[in-house]
Amino acid sequence: MTNRAGCLLGVVLMATPLYAHHSFGTFDLNRKVDLVGTIAGIDFVNPHSWLRVNVTAPDGSVTLYRCEMRGATVLRRSGWTPEMFVVGERIMVQGAPDRVDPHACYVNTLVLADGRTLDRYTQHAVVSTTGPSDRRPINVGPAAASSAGLPRMSSGVPNLAGAWAVEQQLMTDPRGRLGTLVPASIATQFAPGAVPKRGIAIPGSEGSGALGLLYSSYRVAIGAVSPAVIPWIDAAIARTELGRAAVPPEEQQPRNNCGTTSIIFDWYWETVVHRISQDEASVSIEYGQHGFVRTIHLDSERHPEKVAPSRAGHSFGRWDGDVLVVDTVGFLPGMLGLEVAHGPDLHVVERFSLNADGSVLTRQYVAKDSDYFVGEYRGSDITPRSPLPFVSDTCSAELNPVSANRTGDRK
Amino acid sequence: MSLKVRRLAIAAPVAELIPVAVLTALLPVLLASGRGTLVYQIMEAQRLALWAGPLGGFVACALGGWWVSRGAFADAERNGLTLGVAVAGFDLALLAVSGAPFGALMVLSATGRIAGGYAGGWWAGRRNRPAAPAALRAS
């Protein structure tokens, strides 16, 4: 196969929404770059953070490099803080170069001035200051469950209040060069860079050249790859012609421009920390990105005659035993998921419930909009309480490699 | 029995590569069509593969069996069958190495290839048989 054909296939596979965000963009994982310099600054933002490093050449000239890291909130969830990166301190960066910008890279491993080694997916709790004795990611796990059982309001209904975060996805190679993404709780079960039995390496990862992509396609066809093992899949749903036409190009998708996608999608996509507040009359959900807030009214069982369209829509909820059933209408037309659009007639029903000790929140959802997709858009997510308090980090579309609003110096 | 070893050695990998190429192309073609989600396209590729794999294997082995068996006269079917069995063996090994779950696709693939090889050999054998002398035909 020619390089051109390989590139074409790679583009086709990588252009799919599955990999469009959690992929390697223009970074070439089959090459390596090593930088030694001093920290010039850090943009600790979502959806991707950037470390700025001044590198001094033998002739004394200084060049500024910028190297991409995971988003601010997932870094915080992994125990990283911006304070770890002190301007002026020495740092070593091992990474993958950008195909376009000679002064940009993708961080694989950082060695800080005090000797600490941080792989891209390192969970900071296990980082040793004496060396890389254990560079495998660990499951930091949910916050301690309540010993008092299901938390309840004074009225007796369950109390959903708290900080919640969907489980992180970590690459099986802590450096982020090989393999694929798996839930953090099972990441330690895989050898570095391994791929789950019925999974495939992320296209663009080290070694997944044109032949690797072809082999992946073959494995998909013969059933060796199950759709169910691929993280962040959209619902398998048929769209109408209107629905297909309404999906914007990848770089214009709201998720790539610090915009809210939907009440469903933004809960699980970036695995950020959300906060639920509750009183007898309402439940408020603050999504951990873009300052998105929605209110579920518990004191009414109908929508107003006229609802001002918004991303959040108008929600009312009622308790069905210990399950909160939420009905929402009044949406601004937009995106429901990765590649499923909706119009103003979208109708969403969610069912929220806690497990027995209140440590895990389960949400099931059904959405309908027959103008845009056929049948029901169904799904569910399971969200543990977050040990990290609610945090809403800054989002920068300009620093997102996939954004339409990029104004960086990428050539 | 005369096996056309050289032709078998050429035809077997080629006959296996053709349906593999078809299967490999399914997902990229579906993705390029832009219809449905990736999950839908994966499921669609797997659904189509249930037909495309065995059917492509049958056709490739039939053609391969015919080519191998040309001029083999009495052993035409045997040459075709040998090709089918060899390709089925290749295919099962490739499926196993690639992690395919044991199931209908494996059975259909192997059966299709063996049947295709035999059919190709049979067809070549029919064409190979020398025409009966005119005197015999007249009687």
Side-chain angles (χ1 to χ4, degrees):
Chain A
M1 190 175 66
T2 65
N3 284 339
R4 194 173 167 187
C7 287
L8 182 64
L9 177 61
V11 166
V12 168
L13 276 176
M14 282 188 276
T16 61
L18 167 63
Y19 297 112
H21 170 65
H22 298 275
S23 73
F24 307 107
T26 60
F27 299 114
D28 184 352
L29 273 288
N30 286 305
R31 291 164 55 211
K32 292 183 178 177
V33 62
D34 289 332
L35 303 174
V36 179
T38 55
I39 297 173
I42 186 165
D43 297 305
F44 208 75
V45 296
N46 287 328
H48 295 275
S49 299
W50 291 85
L51 181 68
R52 284 175 274 124
V53 181
N54 279 325
V55 177
T56 305
D59 65 1
S61 61
V62 177
T63 304
L64 178 66
Y65 283 79
R66 53 194 193 88
C67 294
E68 183 266 355
M69 307 197 300
R70 301 171 73 209
T73 309
V74 287
L75 286 176
R76 286 188 202 281
R77 292 187 68 191
S78 305
W80 299 43
T81 64
E83 291 73 30
M84 293 163 64
F85 303 93
V86 180
V87 172
E89 278 196 355
R90 182 183 160 86
I91 192 164
M92 190 169 85
V93 181
Q94 294 172 340
D98 191 308
R99 290 188 178 89
V100 183
D101 184 346
H103 301 127
C105 78
Y106 167 97
V107 168
N108 292 131
T109 302
L110 302 172
V111 182
L112 303 182
D114 61 8
R116 281 182 293 174
T117 298
L118 301 172
D119 285 327
R120 185 179 183 87
Y121 288 91
T122 289
Q123 304 300 291
H124 190 52
V126 293
V127 171
S128 161
T129 55
T130 56
S133 57
D134 183 358
R135 296 166 65 179
R136 300 282 304 124
I138 62 160
N139 175 26
V140 292
S146 162
S147 57
L150 186 64
R152 293 186 183 277
M153 305 289 288
S154 56
S155 63
V157 300
N159 186 351
L160 310 180
W164 302 93
V166 171
E167 187 174 17
Q168 285 190 70
Q169 301 278 331
L170 309 177
M171 276 188 77
T172 51
D173 175 6
R175 302 167 306 153
R177 292 188 73 91
L178 299 160
T180 191
L181 291 157
V182 295
S185 59
I186 60 169
T188 52
Q189 297 172 13
F190 295 92
V195 173
K197 192 176 176 189
R198 299 194 68 193
I200 48 175
I202 296 179
S205 57
E206 187 176 352
S208 65
L211 280 176
L213 288 167
L214 284 176
Y215 185 53
S216 293
S217 294
Y218 173 71
R219 292 190 66 231
V220 164
I222 63 172
V225 174
S226 162
V229 302
I230 300 173
W232 293 307
I233 55 176
D234 210 347
I237 196 161
R239 298 168 298 181
T240 63
E241 199 165 317
L242 180 63
R244 279 196 296 274
V247 178
E250 182 62 24
E251 68 277 8
Q252 290 173 21
Q253 291 269 2
R255 64 176 181 276
N256 289 322
N257 293 283
C258 295
T260 297
T261 299
S262 72
I263 58 172
I264 290 174
F265 182 82
D266 285 48
W267 180 265
Y268 63 81
W269 176 245
E270 292 286 4
T271 72
V272 295
V273 183
H274 312 293
R275 178 165 57 194
I276 297 181
S277 312
Q278 183 174 342
D279 57 33
E280 299 296 351
S282 67
V283 173
S284 173
I285 304 179
E286 294 169 85
Y287 287 67
Q289 54 186 13
H290 322 322
F292 181 51
V293 181
R294 61 185 290 216
T295 302
I296 299 163
H297 302 278
L298 302 177
D299 52 1
S300 168
E301 289 212 4
R302 59 191 306 177
H303 299 291
E305 287 290 312
K306 285 190 175 177
V307 177
S310 66
R311 285 279 165 261
H314 180 274
S315 302
F316 71 76
R318 62 179 172 79
W319 290 97
D320 179 7
D322 284 344
V323 178
L324 177 62
V325 182
V326 179
D327 189 290
T328 307
V329 298
F331 294 99
L332 271 175
M335 295 300 293
L336 184 57
L338 278 172
E339 51 180 325
V340 179
H342 70 83
D345 295 332
L346 176 69
H347 182 195
V348 178
V349 176
E350 298 156 286
R351 297 173 65 85
F352 294 87
S353 58
L354 294 171
N355 67 342
D357 66 2
S359 63
V360 175
L361 176 66
T362 297
R363 176 181 68 155
Q364 297 171 306
Y365 49 81
V366 180
K368 291 182 187 175
D369 187 343
S370 57
D371 291 337
Y372 284 74
F373 52 88
V374 179
E376 295 178 332
Y377 182 101
R378 284 178 173 273
S380 65
D381 39 59
I382 295 171
T383 311
R385 285 190 189 275
S386 170
L388 183 72
F390 172 76
V391 56
S392 185
D393 281 301
T394 303
C395 183
S396 170
E398 286 75 19
L399 294 173
N400 182 4
V402 196
S403 168
N405 295 333
R406 257 191 81 80
T407 56
D409 57 353
R410 185 171 294 252
K411 296 173 181 68
Chain B
M1 173 176 140
S2 71
L3 283 179
K4 303 262 187 180
V5 177
R6 189 177 295 175
R7 286 197 171 206
L8 280 168
I10 295 169
V14 171
E16 175 59 7
L17 276 176
I18 290 169
V20 164
V22 170
L23 293 178
T24 301
L26 282 176
L27 185 62
V29 167
L30 286 168
L31 288 171
S33 76
R35 270 179 280 170
T37 66
L38 177 64
V39 180
Y40 165 81
Q41 287 154 345
I42 288 176
M43 293 192 300
E44 185 68 5
Q46 293 177 346
R47 192 180 67 78
L48 289 173
L50 277 174
W51 293 95
L55 203 61
F58 177 87
V59 172
C61 284
L63 292 172
W66 171 80
W67 182 73
V68 166
S69 306
R70 281 192 313 167
F73 299 111
D75 287 325
E77 287 91 345
R78 197 165 293 163
N79 273 282
L81 185 63
T82 304
L83 176 89
V85 170
V87 177
F90 276 148
D91 188 56
L92 287 174
L94 191 55
L95 286 171
V97 166
S98 304
F102 181 79
L105 186 62
M106 273 191 185
V107 175
L108 282 172
S109 276
T111 309
R113 282 158 175 76
I114 293 169
Y118 182 84
W122 172 79
W123 183 249
R126 278 191 59 185
R127 295 173 63 92
N128 289 340
R129 282 180 198 113
L136 285 176
R137 270 188 272 147
S139 67

